[in-house]
Amino acid sequence: MSFEASSGDLPTEIDQARYRRILRFASRHLAHAWWYELVLPRFGLQRIAERTRARRMRRFARAFHGLAIELGGLMIKVGQFMSSRLDVLPPEITAELEGLQDEVPAEAFEDIRRLAEAELGVSLSTVFPEIDASPLAAASLGQAHAAVLAPALAADVGFSRSVLKVQRPGIDGIVAVDLAALRKVGRWLSHVRLVSRRVDMPSLVEEFAATSLQEIDYLQEAANAERFRENFAEHSGVAVPEVVWERTSRRVLTLEDVSAIKVSDVDALRASEIDPHEVALRFASVMFDQLFTHGFFHADPHPGNVFVTPSETGEPGEWRLTFIDFGMMGEVPSGTRGALRSLLVAAATRDGRGLVAAMREVGVLLPSADASELERAMTQLFARFGGMGFAELRDVDPREFSDFGHEFSDVIRTLPFQLPENFLLIIRAISLTSGVCSTLDPEFNLWDAIEPYAQQLIREERGNVVGDVASRVLEAARALVVLPSRLGATLDRIDSGELEVRTPQLEQRVARGETRRRSQTPAILFGSFLIGGALVRDADVALSTTLLLVSLVPLGALALNALRRH
């Protein structure tokens, strides 16, 4: 049986249908991408791939949008992740998927009521005298309803207005099916060298799986909220809703209702005499604190999960950032956190060499990366564009970008970067932070937030600088002691003609590679024509038939080669 579930229960026919539907969608679009992005360029037809890329991206995004709305579950989550990756995915995809969360249909309230009462063991009307049957929000894994606590409990906790968050019925089984399908797709992608050399797809899927399974455990979410509050206990500008533990279980979560101004509602902020630019600066600083200081961060800080709460006294300029929904949280190990701090300081100080060193420490650079050329590229990048915000970059003469691209074409073409483990949520948090700040202030310059924070890090770590400098001086002194003798010996060998560079292994590999290339060409041609004919079958039967017939020519060449070998 192809279905893989985490539980011991046999899958139902509905589970199997859902599983196969996801795999069919993935295989079809992966085949299209393989044909256009890998096969056509091999035969000098790269212009066809480039000319059709935007249209193909939009078609894929629309198809995935429809699939996610129809199936729900983790497909919505996958769409959310893609829509937040403005840094690597084209706008044709992110624009189509950005509103996906808002389109999730709500569960019938009676189904929500039954599940909540089964979990809490009491009638909801006993615990909550008032409940709004229309949800405040309907998400892929659960939905939230405004409710009023019973007077006795309200007196104990200090508030009556609350939010009742309940999982969608049957979501455990849906998540198990979706993860099984995603693991299969991850294994497929692990065999594509273009993907596998930059990211360990099975590990990435497991990271996504761990996060998703935590999201359907509301006891874990409640614990996350408490930990987040403790981290910012001394920060008067950050608030977190209180958890009503007496009415919380693995599938039901009751919280204080802290609804206020949505962080992206610029008009409402200005009406409350709150400067959106100041909100952007504080939001970025608080996210930096989570990532670089606490190592425990909110991985889903989209505008629906962050409020701006004005001061109760009505004092202008007095407000707090209130975070909600702590289901998707990330942790940064101490070693990685130190490397990220170095990365931030290097970026803020425009230190190209330090930035490359920090990138290598974090694990972002491929082992084969040319560090010296990358250092030169980063140094030039800082010199030309460092300190500019997104708005300023839009006004830069395109010829400057073109000149930079020509000068460092090798670095840009090879893109020697990879996605390390445990970075999925970090990148998501940073992407969403940047998006929220740009929404608050289109002229927002991220450097305005990075530089003061980096200066703070430098001050905190100043005590380590003396020791670091001393160790570097000692290493340099040791190198200077042995350098003259080594340099002299090398020059003597060059003068006498004794220094030779031999690469017999390289020559053998080139010869073997040429032989392999000649033998594999018919196979590549056969597979390309065969798959191409299958892909265009629905759109153009005549062309499909022609490609399938042409595939017989390289197939004959394969047969002749096999006969010669025998």
Side-chain angles (χ1 to χ4, degrees), residues 471-510:
S471 65
R472 292 190 181 189
V473 169
L474 184 58
E475 289 175 7
R478 288 172 179 164
L480 286 172
V481 169
V482 299
L483 180 61
S485 60
R486 290 186 177 178
L487 185 58
T490 302
L491 290 174
D492 288 342
R493 293 183 64 192
I494 292 173
D495 288 338
S496 63
E498 296 175 5
L499 188 65
E500 298 180 7
V501 179
R502 297 177 181 174
T503 57
Q505 292 180 337
L506 179 59
E507 293 170 2
Q508 292 173 5
R509 287 184 182 179
V510 170

Side-chain angles (χ1 to χ4, degrees), residues 217-439:
D217 183 352
Y218 286 170
L219 289 173
Q220 180 65 53
E221 180 175 343
N224 290 340
E226 297 288 351
R227 181 177 172 184
F228 192 90
R229 179 188 295 104
E230 290 174 7
N231 286 345
F232 287 95
E234 304 301 320
H235 197 311
S236 60
V238 177
V240 178
E242 293 282 348
V243 177
V244 183
W245 286 97
E246 296 89 339
R247 296 294 177 255
T248 294
S249 70
R250 198 179 78 82
R251 292 183 174 87
V252 175
L253 175 62
T254 307
L255 298 159
E256 175 187 9
D257 187 351
V258 292
S259 302
I261 302 172
K262 195 175 180 179
V263 71
S264 59
D265 192 342
V266 174
D267 292 337
L269 291 173
R270 290 195 176 117
S272 299
E273 299 183 51
I274 298 173
D275 183 357
H277 180 75
E278 292 299 319
V279 175
L281 284 175
R282 184 183 297 181
F283 178 66
S285 178
V286 169
M287 290 304 300
F288 290 158
D289 275 338
Q290 296 172 48
L291 286 162
F292 303 119
T293 302
H294 303 303
F296 180 70
F297 62 94
H298 199 303
D300 198 22
H302 64 75
N305 285 340
V306 185
F307 295 119
V308 177
T309 307
S311 168
E312 295 178 0
T313 62
E315 288 291 326
E318 294 293 325
W319 48 272
R320 294 175 297 168
L321 283 174
T322 303
F323 288 80
I324 64 170
D325 194 349
F326 298 91
M328 189 186 296
M329 304 295 290
E331 293 203 49
V332 186
S334 58
T336 304
R337 191 157 69 247
L340 285 174
R341 289 161 71 106
S342 299
L343 195 70
L344 185 71
V345 170
T349 56
R350 320 290 198 272
D351 178 5
R353 185 176 182 182
L355 185 68
V356 173
M359 289 165 69
R360 190 177 292 283
E361 186 180 356
V362 168
V364 171
L365 283 188
L366 288 170
S368 58
D370 184 346
S372 59
E373 183 66 5
L374 190 57
E375 286 174 12
R376 197 167 73 85
M378 290 300 176
T379 301
Q380 288 295 318
L381 187 69
F382 283 137
R384 296 187 191 187
F385 313 113
M388 291 185 181
F390 293 116
E392 294 172 290
L393 287 173
R394 285 197 294 267
D395 297 331
V396 172
D397 188 336
R399 286 174 295 185
E400 287 198 51
F401 293 116
S402 178
D403 292 343
F404 180 84
H406 285 306
E407 185 176 355
F408 299 103
S409 58
D410 288 342
V411 173
I412 294 171
R413 186 178 65 254
T414 58
L415 289 175
F417 307 112
Q418 62 183 348
L419 182 65
E421 287 187 38
N422 304 317
F423 256 61
L424 181 66
L425 295 183
I426 293 175
I427 292 174
R428 175 176 172 77
I430 293 173
S431 297
L432 287 172
T433 299
S434 177
V436 169
C437 291
S438 296
T439 301

Side-chain angles (χ1 to χ4, degrees), residues 59 68 75 110 112 166 169 179 196 212 225 308 338 369 381 413-414 433 454 475 479 505 527 539 542 552:
R59 188 185 303 135
M75 295 301 101
E110 284 309 309
I112 292 294
V166 183
L179 288 179
S196 62
S212 301
V308 177
L381 187 69
R413 186 178 65 254
T414 58
T433 299
E475 289 175 7
Q505 292 180 337
L552 296 176

Side-chain angles (χ1 to χ4, degrees), residues 441-563:
D441 181 4
E443 304 297 319
F444 182 78
N445 187 339
L446 197 60
W447 297 105
D448 293 342
I450 287 177
E451 287 181 338
Y453 193 84
Q455 292 300 325
Q456 176 188 331
L457 292 181
I458 292 171
R459 286 193 298 271
E460 290 175 358
E461 298 180 3
R462 187 170 289 165
N464 298 327
V465 171
V466 175
D468 183 55
V469 170
S471 65
R472 292 190 181 189
V473 169
L474 184 58
E475 289 175 7
R478 288 172 179 164
L480 286 172
V481 169
V482 299
L483 180 61
S485 60
R486 290 186 177 178
L487 185 58
T490 302
L491 290 174
D492 288 342
R493 293 183 64 192
I494 292 173
D495 288 338
S496 63
E498 296 175 5
L499 188 65
E500 298 180 7
V501 179
R502 297 177 181 174
T503 57
Q505 292 180 337
L506 179 59
E507 293 170 2
Q508 292 173 5
R509 287 184 182 179
V510 170
R512 285 198 301 268
E514 181 63 21
T515 302
R516 191 181 301 115
R517 183 191 65 78
R518 286 196 298 267
S519 64
Q520 289 179 348
T521 298
I524 293 172
L525 288 170
F526 170 66
S528 300
F529 287 127
L530 182 66
I531 293 174
L535 286 175
V536 301
R537 187 75 181 171
D538 294 335
D540 191 332
V541 176
L543 177 59
S544 172
T545 303
T546 302
L547 289 172
L548 292 173
L549 289 173
V550 171
S551 71
L552 296 176
V553 177
L555 180 62
L558 278 174
L560 287 175
N561 286 339
L563 289 173

Side-chain angles (χ1 to χ4, degrees), residues 61-195:
R62 282 195 296 269
F64 185 85
H65 185 283
L67 179 80
I69 292 297
E70 178 186 345
L71 296 184
L74 292 187
M75 295 301 101
I76 298 287
K77 287 289 177 188
V78 172
Q80 281 183 295
F81 269 86
M82 288 195 289
S83 68
S84 69
R85 294 307 311 276
L86 300 172
D87 51 337
V88 295
L89 291 177
E92 289 84 5
I93 290 181
T94 57
E96 179 69 33
L97 300 178
E98 63 184 356
L100 195 56
Q101 183 65 59
D102 297 330
E103 300 177 50
V104 181
E107 293 282 346
F109 181 68
E110 284 309 309
D111 295 335
I112 292 294
R113 178 191 292 276
R114 277 195 295 271
L115 189 151
E117 289 181 342
E119 279 289 304
L120 298 178
V122 294
S123 169
L124 279 191
S125 58
T126 303
V127 182
F128 304 100
E130 297 178 31
I131 302 180
D132 189 346
S134 299
L136 291 169
S140 56
L141 306 181
Q143 62 192 53
H145 294 261
V148 175
L149 295 175
L153 184 55
D156 288 342
V157 299
F159 56 86
S160 60
R161 290 176 56 244
S162 65
V163 172
L164 177 67
K165 186 174 177 180
V166 183
Q167 279 184 17
R168 288 178 178 268
I171 195 64
D172 286 346
I174 291 173
V175 167
V177 174
D178 291 357
L179 288 179
L182 291 173
R183 287 183 175 114
K184 174 74 79 174
V185 175
R187 287 198 294 275
W188 288 348
L189 290 171
S190 69
H191 296 295
V192 180
R193 187 172 179 275
L194 188 66
V195 175

